[in-house]
Amino acid sequence: MDHRRSEPPPKSLWHHQEAQDVLKYLSSKTSGLSQQEASRRLLEFGANQLPQTKTKNPLLRFFQQFNNVLIYVLLVAGIGTLLLHHLIDASVIFAVVFLNALIGFIQEGKAEDALQKIRQMLSPCAEVMRDGHHHTVDARELVPGDIVILHAGDKVPADIRLLSVKSLQVQEAVLTGESVAVEKDLNPVSQNAVLGDRRCMCYSGTLVSHGQSTGIVVNTGAHTEIGRISHMVAQVRPSTTPLLKQMGEFGRWLSAAILVIAALNFAFGIWIHSYTASTMFLASVSLAVAAIPEGLPAIMTITLAIGVQRMARRNAIIRRLPAVETLGAVSVICSDKTGTLTRNEMTVRNAATAEHDFDFEGTGYAPHGGIRLNGCDIEPDHGPVLWKMLHAAVLCNESALETHPEDSNLFHVAGDPMEGALLIAALKAGIESDNLNKQFPRTDLIPFESEHRFMATLHHSHKNEAYIYLKGAPEDVLAMCDWQKTVAGDVQKLAKSYWLEKLEEYAAKGQRVLALAMKPVNQNQRTLNFKDVEKGLIMLGLFGLIDPPREEAIRAVERCQKAGIRVKMITGDHAATAKAIANQLNLANTEEALIGEDIMAMSEDELRSKVESIDIYARVDPEHKLQLVKLLQERGFIAAMTGDGINDAPALKRANVGIAMGCNGTEAAKEAAEMVLADDNFASISHAVEEGRTVYDNLKKAILFILPTNGGEALIVLAAVIFGFQELPLTPVQILWVNMITAVTLALSLAFEPSEQRVMSRPPRDPDKPLLSPLLIWRIAFVSSILAAGTIGLYLWQLEQQHSVETARTVAVNTLVMFEIFYLFNSRYILASVLSIQGLFGNRFVLIAIALLIFFQLCFTYLSPLQILFGTTAISGHHWLEIIAISSSVFILVELEKSIIRWRRPNAA
């Protein structure tokens, strides 16, 4: 192919060019590019994907890690210590601040990397011509010059100049704001034509609502119109979540309290005990360093990030890190039906001819399962009319089956799922579409459109026969039929009441029904017009199809309901189908359904009164979704909402957790959502809620572990000043060592805690409820007192035994660390007992963290460089026995406290 191209038109003027001129400029032809040329152009133009959100400058992102009021206090303490020429103390303080910033910087970078990969994981597909053959390719592989085939229901994968159209209409509301679909043609328009008047163009992200067409790709990726919109949406900054607001307020409150207490401590030491100003400044710095949970911001970020990684492994991709926490509070899930609660694999379940009813076995796009009549397998001779129906279903069909890339025994459908189901049904009867289409090549067609609700094709056999085959909505097809086919091969007058009864029977099962008909015509007829099918057709039969619920979705709905989460199904399908699926899913209320017309006729007050109790919403428009989520939020629900279309974006943004579909969702929907389902499966939502609850639990556990450590250290310093100790039991650098080494080992291990057994058996948490409940505040005070009393007691005991201050401090630091090791086991369950195999050994990261911490403490105690840096000295085995004996008391006392609380509050655990 000639790679040379003439001078290109401005990219905004493709609509002003004749189709053949566009083909010529892009060095393409109607049979498509060669695979080799497409690969070359992919390298030249890049992948067809939307613009990536610009990331922050790394240096700026690093300095933003210091924007925390607690860090400010530490920096002031470090500067003051430096001015007093305590270089080692100041160096350690600054090192801790730097380390904390580095952890946050690295973790945020990982989160940004994950977001950059989302679009690559979730690209849609496109049907193209390559080397003269139809292929389904990843839409990212489209290049300018590719010939794309579009059908009703397709998303336009790139900006396209149309080459041929047949009754093509495209919904372009995302670009123009017009709700009415635009009819397309091939005529160039004025170069100044506005977007809505460019009838010869289709733009990326819009939806083909009727007809079919072919077109040539002119713009991809960032150069598409939708690329600009996606970029604008990506710039919207999400609001912070309740947890982050609570932690921000907690940080400010804690900082103020620390500064006040440190000032009082400074004044008390000087006025009461006549300490020097420099001594009391160091004591106040020690107090501030002790009280500040330096590792908490990093632990929070890492815990959320671990939740993101866990969710990703379960097909739930979190786009915004704080959304992990919101998932734990979700109290209602408004879910699409098709593909989310169901398999999105239409299956022919029943077929009716004029004389018989047939059952089809098997599910989805696997061609396994028999065809049964009265409970027995049948052969073609026993069902000649059914075989005629299946012939018609294959010939009057715009879709194709492609071998599944991971399982050669499965297929996936290129085209409409219902048409794919008909092809699978034909395979069960041994009818292959390629062979049949060769025997009866197609001459002309009338494509399916909503106005006439049928598709018709004209075929000629090699025996000089000609037939019209037609499939469509039963009511419309019956109106065009005068006859019906019999087993004997004859035709008889149409028994319309029989077919309407069958239609009602299938609809009551929640099945979608298609009618098949045929008509012999003159072999010389080469075109197909509406007048050819207005009357005189022969009714062949009805197919009953259903998109069955996912087995895992049924279980997931049950789990959500046990967890106090109401599940509501929102679908564009008919109410009868929605009710049938809802019954199989065991939704709470399957008796009532609201349809879009009902919603439109209701006042807002009427709908508000019903929105909580109604669980089935059928035949609804995207704007109804937005209205429903608003009203649910007004009634106090934390709402998760699923969506896949561009028009779903407002509801996704309004919801507390917007959930976009990864396989079938638009990029605009993904941009508007906090979470993307990689498999479009409702079960993944329930798994994400479970992980969200677990993340929140683990954050509480980490806070409940870290704060008593800081409280105990602060009490130790305060007690030393109040009681007039000559030396502080812990120096500032020793306190920093304890805070950071336990945060990066022990506290971090709690981020890996598995879900507790009852996590999905309790109601959703109240997002307005404070993070630190009275129970948690009591626990923090209780444990802080134990840690302070035990550490000071052993410190004083060492002095009484005539040991040096260095030895006493070394014992005190190790006592405090061992207290935390024992308390870590308590922290694994907030109220439940840990006295079990699972409680003691159920998190291997806890055991690894303890082993690492013991190793670090031995280095801290016995390595000469660390002894010089931290002012420690070697201690004997007898000291270790005293340390373990005292520090183990916290484990016993906290487990005893838990048992008392469980006895007083039986349902607490």
Side-chain angles (χ1 to χ4, degrees):
M1 183 177 290
D2 186 5
H3 296 160
R4 292 172 298 174
R5 302 180 208 147
S6 58
E7 185 65 26
K11 64 181 179 180
S12 60
L13 298 182
W14 291 112
H15 56 276
H16 188 53
Q17 309 298 313
E18 292 286 349
Q20 292 303 314
D21 291 338
V22 176
L23 273 170
K24 181 179 178 182
Y25 165 66
L26 292 174
S27 303
S28 187
K29 53 187 179 181
T30 54
S31 60
L33 302 172
S34 68
Q35 188 60 52
Q36 181 180 4
E37 173 64 10
S39 299
R40 190 194 68 78
R41 293 191 185 193
L42 186 61
L43 292 175
E44 178 183 351
F45 294 102
N48 175 36
Q49 56 189 18
L50 294 183
Q52 307 294 323
T53 304
K54 289 185 178 180
T55 58
K56 299 175 188 174
N57 178 281
L59 189 61
L60 177 62
R61 186 155 53 84
F62 177 73
F63 283 114
Q64 283 181 337
Q65 307 305 317
F66 296 92
N67 186 22
N68 182 298
V69 67
L70 294 174
I71 298 299
Y72 298 158
V73 175
L74 271 183
L75 287 172
V76 170
I79 293 170
T81 308
L82 185 63
L83 293 175
L84 291 174
H85 303 293
H86 291 269
L87 299 182
I88 293 179
D89 290 4
S91 299
V92 173
I93 291 173
F94 289 134
V96 166
V97 171
F98 178 81
L99 179 61
N100 181 74
L102 185 63
I103 292 172
F105 172 78
I106 293 172
Q107 193 55 54
E108 188 176 326
K110 288 182 179 179
E112 286 193 356
D113 291 343
L115 297 186
Q116 295 295 336
K117 294 176 182 176
I118 286 174
R119 292 183 183 85
Q120 300 174 8
M121 297 172 62
L122 306 170
S123 295
C125 295
E127 186 179 351
V128 300
M129 294 290 293
R130 294 267 176 93
D131 295 309
H133 298 288
H134 287 248
H135 294 276
T136 299
V137 301
D138 190 318
R140 290 177 300 173
E141 299 176 10
L142 288 180
V143 294
D146 259 327
I147 304 301
V148 174
I149 299 94
L150 298 174
H151 305 280
D154 285 353
K155 291 176 292 184
V156 180
D159 285 0
I160 291 169
R161 173 57 164 97
L162 295 172
L163 302 177
S164 68
V165 298
K166 185 132 188 179
S167 304
L168 182 68
Q169 293 185 17
V170 178
Q171 176 61 257
E172 295 183 330
V174 62
L175 297 178
T176 65
E178 295 182 17
S179 59
V180 179
V182 178
E183 189 170 346
K184 296 292 184 177
D185 57 43
L186 302 180
N187 300 321
V189 295
S190 165
Q191 63 180 17
N192 297 321
V194 297
L195 204 64
D197 293 335
R198 299 174 190 174
R199 302 297 179 90
C200 59
M201 297 287 297
C202 285
Y203 290 102
S204 178
T206 58
L207 182 69
V208 178
S209 55
H210 307 301
Q212 61 181 21
S213 69
T214 60
I216 181 170
V217 173
V218 293
N219 286 323
T220 58
H223 302 293
T224 62
E225 289 291 331
I226 198 68
R228 178 178 58 85
I229 295 175
S230 178
H231 178 71
M232 292 170 61
V233 174
Q235 299 307 305
V236 176
R237 294 184 65 84
S239 60
T240 188
T241 66
L243 176 66
L244 295 185
K245 286 181 180 177
Q246 289 172 352
M247 292 308 299
E249 291 173 3
F250 171 76
R252 289 188 291 273
W253 173 85
L254 182 61
S255 298
I258 289 171
L259 291 174
V260 170
I261 294 172
L264 292 174
N265 178 69
F266 181 85
F268 184 89
I270 291 176
W271 292 339
I272 302 301
H273 294 297
S274 301
Y275 289 130
T276 64
S278 61
T279 300
M280 283 313 305
F281 182 82
L282 283 177
S284 296
V285 166
S286 298
L287 178 62
V289 168
I292 293 174
E294 298 89 354
L296 187 55
I299 294 299
M300 281 186 58
T301 302
I302 293 170
T303 302
L304 291 171
I306 290 168
V308 168
Q309 293 166 1
R310 284 178 169 177
M311 290 180 189
R313 287 196 291 268
R314 303 179 85 170
N315 296 310
I317 301 168
I318 300 298
R319 297 188 68 253
R320 297 176 184 122
L321 198 62
V324 178
E325 171 252 330
T326 311
L327 278 163
V330 164
S331 54
V332 63
I333 301 173
C334 300
S335 175
D336 283 330
K337 177 181 72 69
T338 303
T340 306
L341 291 167
T342 62
R343 295 170 60 91
N344 197 23
E345 293 180 352
M346 295 299 295
T347 302
V348 173
R349 188 63 68 214
N350 299 103
T353 63
E355 296 158 300
H356 295 120
D357 285 299
F358 300 91
D359 298 316
F360 283 73
E361 298 176 328
T363 300
Y365 299 143
H368 308 303
I371 305 172
R372 302 174 73 83
L373 174 63
N374 298 323
C376 300
D377 292 334
I378 64 164
E379 298 296 331
D381 294 342
H382 299 136
V385 183
L386 176 62
W387 257 250
K388 283 281 187 185
M389 284 177 64
L390 292 168
H391 281 183
V394 170
L395 295 171
C396 188
N397 199 306
E398 283 289 272
S399 299
L401 296 177
E402 297 180 347
T403 303
H404 196 283
E406 297 178 0
D407 188 344
S408 59
N409 295 318
L410 297 176
F411 292 94
H412 63 89
V413 175
D416 182 73
M418 292 181 69
E419 290 191 329
L422 297 178
L423 297 178
I424 292 291
L427 281 177
K428 293 175 183 178
I431 301 170
E432 294 186 2
S433 59
D434 288 345
N435 293 335
L436 192 62
N437 278 292
K438 288 177 182 177
Q439 294 174 36
F440 295 90
R442 182 186 297 180
T443 310
D444 200 6
L445 88 159
I446 298 174
F448 178 87
E449 294 184 14
S450 59
E451 288 85 352
H452 51 254
R453 302 204 304 167
F454 69 81
M455 172 187 174
T457 54
L458 174 63
H459 297 263
H460 288 75
S461 75
H462 300 297
K463 299 179 181 179
N464 296 322
E465 301 167 315
Y467 299 97
I468 295 172
Y469 291 106
L470 183 144
K471 76 174 189 298
E475 300 92 338
D476 296 76
V477 175
L478 286 170
M480 294 183 280
C481 290
D482 297 321
W483 314 97
Q484 61 190 32
K485 195 79 171 173
T486 66
V487 173
D490 300 326
V491 294
Q492 58 183 216
K493 191 169 181 61
L494 183 74
K496 191 170 183 178
S497 59
Y498 166 81
W499 296 108
L500 291 175
E501 185 180 326
K502 284 294 175 189
L503 173 60
E504 189 175 334
E505 177 187 331
Y506 286 1
K509 297 178 181 178
Q511 296 179 351
R512 296 186 182 184
V513 187
L514 279 177
L516 280 294
M518 65 174 294
K519 181 181 181 180
V521 295
N522 189 290
Q523 62 175 331
N524 295 321
Q525 181 175 340
R526 294 291 166 175
T527 59
L528 188 57
N529 300 300
F530 282 97
K531 65 180 182 179
D532 297 321
V533 295
E534 287 177 351
K535 60 181 179 178
L537 270 68
I538 302 168
M539 182 72 174
L540 295 176
L542 300 175
F543 280 122
L545 303 93
I546 194 165
D547 180 12
R550 298 175 183 262
E551 290 297 323
E552 62 271 29
I554 296 174
R555 295 190 295 270
V557 167
E558 182 182 6
R559 293 179 73 236
C560 286
Q561 290 175 338
K562 284 183 178 178
I565 301 170
R566 195 74 178 250
V567 179
K568 297 181 183 295
M569 183 171 70
I570 302 177
T571 177
D573 219 330
H574 291 281
T577 303
K579 282 186 176 181
I581 297 297
N583 270 307
Q584 296 179 59
L585 289 166
N586 299 315
L587 296 188
N589 180 5
T590 59
E591 300 299 320
E592 300 177 87
L594 275 183
I595 62 174
E597 291 180 3
D598 297 334
I599 295 174
M600 293 176 69
M602 285 180 172
S603 69
E604 191 163 281
D605 287 338
E606 288 176 316
L607 184 57
R608 186 180 289 108
S609 67
K610 289 181 172 291
V611 72
E612 188 170 343
S613 60
I614 300 294
D615 291 336
I616 305 170
Y617 298 87
R619 306 299 286 173
V620 296
D621 294 329
E623 57 266 27
H624 297 145
K625 282 188 171 184
L626 179 60
Q627 188 177 11
L628 291 171
V629 75
K630 283 181 179 178
L631 294 177
L632 285 166
Q633 288 173 329
E634 285 179 13
R635 295 187 69 87
F637 285 92
I638 302 299
M641 171 69 75
T642 70
D644 54 10
I646 297 170
N647 287 339
D648 290 328
L652 293 175
K653 287 191 112 173
R654 173 74 190 202
N656 300 93
V657 181
I659 303 171
M661 300 298 105
C663 298
N664 296 311
T666 61
E667 288 290 340
K670 294 167 194 171
E671 288 286 358
E674 283 78 26
M675 186 170 89
V676 178
L677 295 185
D679 59 354
D680 291 10
N681 191 338
F682 182 84
S684 297
I685 302 177
S686 71
H687 295 325
V689 171
E690 179 183 351
E691 291 294 348
R693 291 186 174 192
T694 300
V695 164
Y696 189 78
D697 284 352
N698 291 350
L699 280 173
K700 284 204 301 184
K701 292 172 185 177
I703 291 169
L704 198 58
F705 175 79
I706 290 173
L707 293 187
T709 303
N710 298 106
E713 292 168 349
L715 285 177
I716 291 169
V717 176
L718 273 176
V721 172
I722 290 171
F723 293 111
F725 287 10
Q726 293 301 311
E727 299 283 350
L728 291 176
L730 303 172
T731 66
V733 292
Q734 290 172 345
I735 290 171
L736 278 175
W737 165 267
V738 173
N739 285 356
M740 291 308 297
I741 203 65
T742 56
V744 299
T745 54
L746 302 186
L748 182 58
S749 71
L750 292 173
F752 295 92
E753 278 293 304
S755 301
E756 294 188 13
Q757 290 184 352
R758 298 182 68 249
V759 71
M760 289 297 279
S761 300
R762 64 190 189 215
R765 68 177 177 85
D766 182 354
D768 296 325
K769 187 177 179 180
L771 183 64
L772 294 180
S773 65
L775 172 63
L776 298 190
I777 293 173
W778 152 253
R779 175 73 58 77
I780 291 168
F782 178 59
V783 176
S784 297
S785 301
I786 296 172
L787 267 60
T791 303
I792 290 175
L794 262 186
Y795 171 78
L796 294 175
W797 172 252
Q798 301 308 314
L799 294 179
E800 282 190 14
Q801 299 301 309
Q802 304 304 311
H803 292 296
S804 67
V805 171
E806 289 75 15
T807 300
R809 283 176 171 169
T810 305
V811 169
V813 171
N814 282 298
T815 301
L816 188 58
V817 169
M818 290 305 297
F819 264 128
E820 294 192 47
I821 288 176
F822 282 106
Y823 178 55
L824 179 65
F825 288 103
N826 300 122
S827 301
R828 289 199 60 215
Y829 302 144
I830 293 175
L831 284 177
S833 172
V834 296
L835 295 174
S836 64
I837 298 297
Q838 179 64 27
L840 295 175
F841 305 105
N843 182 351
R844 62 188 177 91
F845 293 100
V846 165
L847 304 179
I848 293 170
I850 290 172
L852 284 173
L853 182 56
I854 291 174
F855 170 76
F856 289 139
Q857 281 306 118
L858 292 175
C859 295
F860 173 86
T861 305
Y862 296 106
L863 287 184
S864 295
L866 293 183
Q867 287 177 340
I868 295 170
L869 181 62
F870 292 103
T872 59
T873 187
I875 57 176
S876 67
H878 179 71
H879 288 126
W880 283 110
L881 290 177
E882 292 176 340
I883 289 169
I884 293 172
I886 295 299
S887 59
S888 62
S889 63
V890 71
F891 180 83
I892 299 168
L893 292 172
V894 172
E895 287 303 303
L896 181 62
E897 177 237 14
K898 287 185 188 180
S899 66
I900 294 172
I901 293 173
R902 291 196 302 271
W903 173 68
R904 296 182 62 184
R905 297 163 51 188
N907 296 322

